[in-house]
Amino acid sequence: MKKKGVSAHVYITNNKIQVLTGSCVKNKLQVVNFYEEPLEEGCILNGIIMNNYSLQNTLIQMWQKNNLPTKDVTLVVNGSSITVKPLKIPQVNPKNVPGLIRAEFKDIEGVQNMLVDYSVVNPKNQDGSCSILAVLSTKEFVTSYISLFKEAKIELDVIDLVQNCLIKMMKRLKSLQNKTYAVFILDKNMLMQCLFSNDNFVMTRRSRILADPADEGFEREVGQNINSIIQFNKSEQTGADITDIFLCGFPGDSVQMFPHFASNFGVTVRAFPEYQPGELGLPEGMNPGDFIVLLGSLIRYSD
């Protein structure tokens, strides 16, 4: 029986399906349970569904095995078919915002035929502008997921975005206020990096990691990406140096690398930011860094 206020949130990565059940009541995130199911090799490539049959079977079996809710489900998407950009726009009628976004992405081929969406990050800045997270995606990408869940008889209520989920999550944590930091999320051999500065989302990028986590070269490659984002932050002149790096979704034994990175780059390195008990409730033994994206998905609104 579904608990009052508890919802299911699903994120399909390059090698597994993750599902988080929980709620967000009175500003507190409460996790009920977390599930993972591995995917057959090659099912998903950078967010694009390559093997619909296998993916759908895994999805159905996972739902049946764990008796997961089949209604009001939130899906979080990510991948190379989505373009994301933080923008400052004037205070305009919401119906005019898509036109402003298309103008911003005018250099992208076929932009007029793409889907446009946005979330409000800050409704009114000090200069009177509005900060949004603008999103551009192909119709095929979105409809492929809608069809997948429809055929699996799982009713989607919301399709959210990885970056938007991270923004919502980070805004809730008092320990991160006025800080400049980067969040790294490892998804098989893809490393997604998101930069935040003074409570603002700056940018996101992806890098391919060639070495396996068990290989010597893995630490070197991750270190190169940390150095790269530190240098990028300096070139952007965000007004502050990066003080914290959060490495999420890394294998458990990767924590041995954290002190090396901290020493080499003069930053604090953790798997997840500090949080107060009133901000996040977790069952004992759960590592929030494993499902940081889905925690942000629990928060329905970004403001």
Side-chain angles (χ1 to χ4, degrees), residues 71-89:
K71 291 186 176 181
D72 302 326
V73 174
T74 295
L75 169 67
V76 182
V77 295
N78 186 27
S80 54
S81 298
I82 304 173
T83 303
V84 178
K85 191 174 185 180
L87 294 177
K88 278 189 175 183
I89 62 172

Side-chain angles (χ1 to χ4, degrees), residues 14-33:
N14 282 324
N15 64 341
K16 60 194 171 189
I17 301 175
Q18 295 185 319
V19 178
L20 190 73
T21 57
S23 62
C24 181
V25 179
K26 294 181 179 178
N27 257 9
K28 181 181 178 181
L29 300 182
Q30 185 63 54
V31 173
V32 175
N33 219 328

Side-chain angles (χ1 to χ4, degrees), residues 155-193:
E155 188 180 296
L156 289 179
D157 181 43
V158 175
I159 298 179
D160 209 337
L161 192 67
V162 164
Q163 289 91 337
N164 190 48
C165 289
L166 281 177
I167 290 170
K168 291 187 289 184
M169 185 67 229
M170 298 304 166
K171 282 180 73 174
R172 292 295 176 108
L173 299 177
K174 291 182 174 61
S175 66
L176 297 179
Q177 288 180 359
N178 303 316
K179 280 193 171 186
T180 295
Y181 56 92
V183 181
F184 285 27
I185 301 176
L186 184 65
D187 178 9
K188 198 178 178 182
N189 61 348
M190 292 300 295
L191 185 64
M192 190 172 108
Q193 304 140 62

Side-chain angles (χ1 to χ4, degrees), residues 12 36 45 77 79 118 132 143 148 150 177 180 183 185 212 214-215 222-223 254 264 270 285 298-299:
I12 303 175
E36 278 190 341
L45 181 62
V77 295
Y118 69 96
I132 65 169
T143 54
L148 171 72
K150 188 176 181 180
Q177 288 180 359
T180 295
V183 181
I185 301 176
D212 186 85
D215 297 339
V222 175
S254 297
N264 291 340
R270 302 190 200 93
L298 282 176
I299 306 165

Side-chain angles (χ1 to χ4, degrees), residues 12-14 39-40 42-57 59 75 77-81 138 140-151 156:
I12 303 175
T13 76
N14 282 324
L39 288 174
E40 186 180 324
C43 265
I44 294 279
L45 181 62
N46 294 333
I48 298 172
I49 299 173
M50 308 299 290
N51 187 337
N52 189 80
Y53 177 78
S54 177
L55 178 57
Q56 188 183 117
N57 279 346
L59 194 65
L75 169 67
V77 295
N78 186 27
S80 54
S81 298
T138 63
E140 294 79 11
F141 177 80
V142 175
T143 54
S144 68
Y145 280 100
I146 292 173
S147 298
L148 171 72
F149 279 80
K150 188 176 181 180
E151 290 166 9
L156 289 179

